[in-house]
Each structure stands twice: as structure tokens, then as C-alpha cells.
């Protein structure tokens, strides 16, 4: 994994945005894997600026998001559908954007269909990731075993607590989610992982320590041939 220390959150965001812009310039019909959370918000802002300045055109590109809470309606302001509309999709011109359906009645069918759509799109060219303080990527939480494909999962208490800051009360945080699996993520041709936030100092060290374990899902990124980890240096202060 290539580790890049960035002076500020803004610096991290701009470097990440540039990697996406370079990807689109190299392959205009790229398939992007996108993430939610506070980590990529600055990157999305930089992409919107670049699009408005005419330096990048997403009209041939598609996107697939990592995950969505379950159950949740797309117009709920805490849903990842809502987040992506607000922070990216309504500002740029992606040809298609997909997010797992947090209202699906038949979740297994939704998961199979999501994996099929990714495969039919030719697989993910560049996957953006944030990381949970417990090392989760997407909603692949530490567990005895991890899933390869898109699946429904329970959220750990630590994740529910970490994400409660966005909800009126911790009781409102959904207890489940639909997430791409580790196989979906590791099959991406390139991965860009963003690490910011003071609660990430330990996890930012642990993912480089050479051990790969289901207790730390992001440690599997050490197996991937083209992962860039952009770290906001402020996590160490
Ligand atoms: C959520 C998302 C993850 C994200 C993580 C970190 O749980 N499912 O994809 O990486 O939060 O969020 P943040 O960037 O806000 O720290």
C-alpha cells in the first residue's frame, strides 16, 4: 500500500480528487466506487469545483456506492442516498449512479442484483474508501468471517455509537446495513483510502502492520496491488 501523508484535510481531499480526475481523464467511462461519511466530503467538494471549472466531465462515468443503511428510505436525510445527492450527484453529470436499496423487501435478491450490475458494468476501476475507527470498510465490520459479495449485515455497537453523531438520538441509528463485501472492494482495479479524524490514529497504524485479520477488515487491503492511503496528518496531533 502506498502511504501519503497530507498536511491538512483540504490537502488530503484535493489529492484524492486529483486521483479521480486522473482516472476519468485516462478512462472517461470509468466505473467509480464511492463512499459516504465525513472523510470524502472535501474530496466531493473538490470534484464539484473541478466539474464546474470544466476540468473534468463525468458524462460517460458510472458509480456504485459501497453501502446503505437498512431499512431506510432514500428521502430520509440520514440515508446514504440523500448524502450522495447532497454532496455529489446533484452537482455533477455522472451518467449513472447506484446505491444499494435500503427499502428492498427481498434483500438477498437486491444484493445479488447489485453484484450483477457491478459485474455487467465491467467491475470497479477506482474504489474510494473511508474507514471506521474499528477498521471497517463499507460496512464490513470486524467479525469471525467476512463476506465476499454484497450482503446485509448488523452494525457493531462501536459503529452505531460513531455514527450516532449524525442522528437525533442513538436509538434512531439503523442497526443493519447493506454493504458491498470484501471481494467487491478487493476486485477494484485501484483503491484510494482516506483516513482523517483523531479517532483513527490507532487504526491508521494497524492496517500497515503486516497482519491480515477479520478483526480488522481494512487490513485485507495489504493484499491489494494498487491501494493508495491518504492520511490527514492531523490525526497524529
Ligand atoms: C460509515 C460508512 C463507512 C465510512 C465510515 C467512516 O460507517 N459505512 O463507509 O468509511 O462510516 O466515516 P467517517 O468518514 O465519517 O469517519
Amino acid at each position: 500500500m502506498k502511504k501519503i501523508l497530507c498536511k491538512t484535510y483540504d490537502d488530503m481531499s484535493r489529492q484524492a480528487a486529483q486521483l479521480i480526475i486522473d482516472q476519468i481523464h485516462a478512462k472517461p467511462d470509468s466505473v467509480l466506487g464511492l463512499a459516504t461519511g465525513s472523510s470524502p466530503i472535501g474530496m466531493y467538494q473538490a470534484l464539484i469545483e473541478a466539474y464546474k471549472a470544466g476540468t473534468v466531465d463525468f458524462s460517460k462515468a458510472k458509480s456504485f456506492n459501497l453501502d446503505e443503511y437498512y431499512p431506510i428510505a432514500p428521502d430520509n436525510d440520514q440515508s446514504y442516498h440523500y448524502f450522495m445527492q447532497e454532496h455529489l450527484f446533484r452537482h455533477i453529470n455522472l451518467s449513472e449512479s447506484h446505491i444499494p436499496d435500503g427499502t428492498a423487501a427481498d434483500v438477498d435478491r437486491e444484493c445479488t442484483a447489485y453484484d450483477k450490475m457491478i459485474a455487467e458494468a465491467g467491475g470497479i476501476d477506482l474504489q474510494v474508501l473511508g474507514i471506521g475507527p474499528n477498521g471497517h470498510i463499507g460496512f464490513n465490520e470486524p467479525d469471525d468471517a467476512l463476506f465476499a459479495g454484497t450482503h446485509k449485515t448488523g452494525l457493531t455497537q462501536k459503529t452505531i455509537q460513531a455514527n450516532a453523531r449524525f442522528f437525533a438520538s442513538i436509538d434512531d441509528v439503523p442497526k443493519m446495513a447493506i454493504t458491498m463485501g470484501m471481494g467487491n472492494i478487493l476486485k477494484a482495479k485501484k483503491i484510494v483510502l482516506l483516513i482523517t479524524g483523531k479517532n483513527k490514529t490507532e487504526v491508521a497504524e494497524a492496517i500497515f502492520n503486516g497482519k491480515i485479520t477479520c478483526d480488522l477488515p481494512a487490513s485485507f487491503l495489504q493484499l491489494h496491488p494498487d491501494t493508495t492511503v491518504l492520511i490527514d496528518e492531523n490525526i497524529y496531533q
Side-chain angles (χ1 to χ4, degrees):
M1 291 193 288
K2 189 169 157 196
K3 178 175 177 176
I4 301 178
L5 292 176
C6 309
K7 291 269 168 247
T8 60
Y9 176 78
D10 190 53
D11 178 23
M12 179 193 78
S13 302
R14 288 189 183 281
Q15 291 202 47
Q18 194 56 51
L19 292 174
I20 295 197
I21 293 167
D22 292 347
Q23 173 68 39
I24 299 288
H25 286 167
K27 184 177 181 236
D29 62 348
S30 287
V31 179
L32 302 175
L34 299 178
T36 50
S38 39
S39 305
I41 290 179
M43 179 194 75
Y44 291 145
Q45 196 55 47
L47 288 177
I48 294 166
E49 281 169 25
Y51 168 68
K52 289 192 171 156
T55 47
V56 64
D57 172 19
F58 296 97
S59 63
K60 295 193 170 66
K62 293 179 185 168
S63 71
F64 287 88
N65 262 73
L66 280 168
D67 49 14
E68 176 58 286
Y69 288 115
Y70 186 83
I72 201 161
D75 59 352
N76 181 315
D77 63 4
Q78 292 308 328
S79 75
Y80 288 166
H81 277 77
Y82 192 94
F83 177 102
M84 290 307 299
Q85 282 301 329
E86 285 304 302
H87 291 289
L88 188 67
F89 295 157
R90 71 185 175 87
H91 306 283
I92 65 168
N93 64 340
L94 276 164
S95 73
E96 277 177 36
S97 49
H98 304 274
I99 304 181
D101 179 3
T103 66
D106 185 340
V107 179
D108 288 343
R109 197 168 156 179
E110 166 66 14
C111 294
T112 307
Y114 203 68
D115 286 346
K116 191 164 173 251
M117 263 196 301
I118 296 173
E120 284 172 359
I124 293 170
D125 291 300
L126 188 156
Q127 176 67 56
V128 177
L129 295 175
I131 187 169
N134 64 357
H136 77 224
I137 45 178
F139 271 127
N140 293 277
E141 296 276 39
D143 210 336
D144 296 340
L146 300 172
F147 281 81
T150 302
H151 60 285
K152 184 169 89 172
T153 182
L155 304 187
T156 61
Q157 198 52 31
K158 197 164 177 181
T159 296
I160 292 170
Q161 277 161 5
N163 291 3
R165 66 190 194 278
F166 300 113
F167 292 81
S169 120
I170 192 163
D171 299 328
D172 294 340
V173 185
K175 309 287 180 288
M176 289 183 291
I178 297 176
T179 181
M180 280 189 202
M182 296 299 294
N184 300 105
I185 294 170
L186 291 170
K187 271 191 261 176
K189 294 177 189 85
K190 280 182 204 290
I191 296 177
V192 176
L193 168 62
L194 305 179
I195 307 187
T196 183
K198 296 222 193 305
N199 57 349
K200 310 277 177 72
T201 319
E202 276 179 34
V203 84
E205 289 306 310
I207 59 166
F208 289 101
N209 75 6
K211 286 190 200 150
I212 294 158
T213 161
C214 296
D215 290 334
L216 191 71
S219 64
F220 279 82
L221 296 174
Q222 294 174 97
L223 298 173
H224 189 270
D226 190 354
T227 291
T228 302
V229 185
L230 295 169
I231 303 180
D232 170 2
E233 263 179 12
N234 292 300
I235 70 166
Y236 301 114
Q237 279 151 25

